[in-house]
Amino acid sequence: MFPSLEIDIEGQLKKLKGYAEKIRPMVRDGVYFMYEALHGSPKKILVEGANAALLDIDFGTYPFVTSSNCTVGGVCTGLGVPPQHVGDVYGVVKAYTTRVGIGAFPTEQINEIGDLLQSRGHEWGVTTGRKRRCGWLDLVILKYAHMINGFTALALTKLDILDVLDEIKIGVAYKLGGKRIPYFPANQEILQKVEVEYETMPGWKTDTTGARKWEDLPPKAQNYIRCVENHVGVPVKWVGVGKSRESMIQLF
């Protein structure tokens, strides 16, 4: 395919064999390793989904997805862990919605609001360095993620990015032809056509980055969080108001 490409085959093989010896002591049989961890002395085992729910190959916005299951089923299919060992499931969600690359994004704000969220939130794709597309928090997506994952609680991050806004909208439902649809559409064409129904809330116009407990948050920010909980039916356990570990408020 590349006749002009010259490769030092022996040199490359030698280098890779060297890597193999360095990596060899770190390699384990994954299924047996997890079995031992689950049945040995009690441990806390944390499994992280590598991407967001809507990038899941089966339940995401196909074809704009990744190549694996990053929803809760990935614990079983990716690690060989039996389902009865899955304990608490925590959903991590920003206080607004973002997406990298193409694909339907009903609450996207292609305006100064989207630009503000992008710049204040430093929203760049980790792998590609592309600007993330930004919009209002989409609770239809969050509820859909909850249907699949069964969240025990939520971590609501980057609340501080909304500190400067006069008013904040939350996408609470999708309409198609003027009628509410009770589910998240699997079809991209339909998703492109939905109209978002919003709830508008007053902004708190206060710096929240110094907040360390629930009582430190402005009442309007507390109302925003409670609104998310009420619509999704899942309690918010953590609220993020900055980059540092100390900026994560634990509610219970």
Side-chain angles (χ1 to χ4, degrees):
M1 196 178 283
F2 305 105
S4 60
L5 190 67
E6 286 184 21
I7 296 171
D8 173 11
I9 294 171
E10 286 309 311
Q12 284 293 324
L13 286 173
K14 192 177 173 185
K15 194 156 119 186
L16 292 169
K17 281 174 182 169
Y19 291 159
E21 293 313 312
K22 282 184 181 174
I23 294 167
R24 198 180 306 283
M26 302 178 222
V27 176
R28 295 283 179 277
D29 181 290
V31 172
Y32 182 66
F33 177 81
M34 289 309 300
Y35 181 85
E36 290 277 277
L38 290 162
H39 295 88
S41 56
K43 290 181 178 66
K44 281 188 177 177
I45 298 170
L46 178 69
V47 182
E48 182 188 1
N51 284 299
L54 286 196
L55 294 182
D56 186 280
I57 191 165
D58 293 317
F59 300 109
T61 47
Y62 190 86
F64 311 109
V65 293
T66 190
S67 55
S68 59
N69 294 112
C70 33
T71 46
V72 73
V75 176
C76 306
T77 58
L79 289 172
V81 169
Q84 68 265 32
H85 287 294
V86 177
D88 290 319
V89 181
Y90 297 124
V92 182
V93 59
K94 289 175 194 168
Y96 51 96
T97 303
T98 63
R99 171 157 210 159
V100 168
I102 52 175
F105 185 173
T107 64
E108 182 174 14
Q109 297 300 297
I110 307 169
N111 52 31
E112 66 279 4
I113 295 287
D115 293 343
L116 180 97
L117 294 171
Q118 198 279 328
S119 58
R120 271 183 66 80
H122 304 291
E123 294 294 350
W124 302 91
V126 177
T127 311
T128 57
R130 286 180 293 182
K131 258 189 187 183
R132 288 198 180 113
R133 298 155 62 197
C134 300
W136 298 119
L137 181 58
D138 188 330
L139 294 185
V140 181
I141 289 174
L142 190 51
K143 282 194 262 191
Y144 175 67
H146 175 46
M147 287 177 200
I148 297 161
N149 292 292
F151 297 132
T152 314
L154 297 172
L156 185 70
T157 66
K158 302 185 88 163
L159 185 77
D160 56 300
I161 304 306
L162 307 180
D163 286 352
V164 297
L165 294 167
D166 294 314
E167 63 173 34
I168 298 162
K169 292 185 179 182
I170 298 182
V172 294
Y174 290 168
K175 284 181 172 175
L176 197 60
K179 288 182 183 173
R180 268 192 178 205
I181 52 175
Y183 55 86
F184 181 79
N187 184 312
Q188 282 290 307
E189 283 177 38
I190 291 174
L191 201 51
Q192 299 279 9
K193 291 177 189 165
V194 296
E195 179 193 338
V196 182
E197 188 179 310
Y198 289 105
E199 263 184 34
T200 304
M201 306 184 77
W204 42 92
K205 302 289 284 182
T206 310
D207 183 359
T208 60
T209 55
R212 292 297 174 263
K213 51 186 192 293
W214 175 255
E215 295 73 29
D216 296 341
L217 291 170
K220 287 173 182 172
Q222 293 180 357
N223 292 344
Y224 183 78
I225 295 159
R226 293 297 181 225
C227 178
V228 173
E229 289 182 323
N230 293 338
H231 276 284
V232 184
V234 179
V236 171
K237 185 168 182 170
W238 297 276
V239 178
V241 291
K243 293 177 187 173
S244 70
R245 284 172 181 249
E246 293 72 40
S247 303
M248 192 60 75
I249 301 166
Q250 187 163 336
L251 306 189
F252 61 89

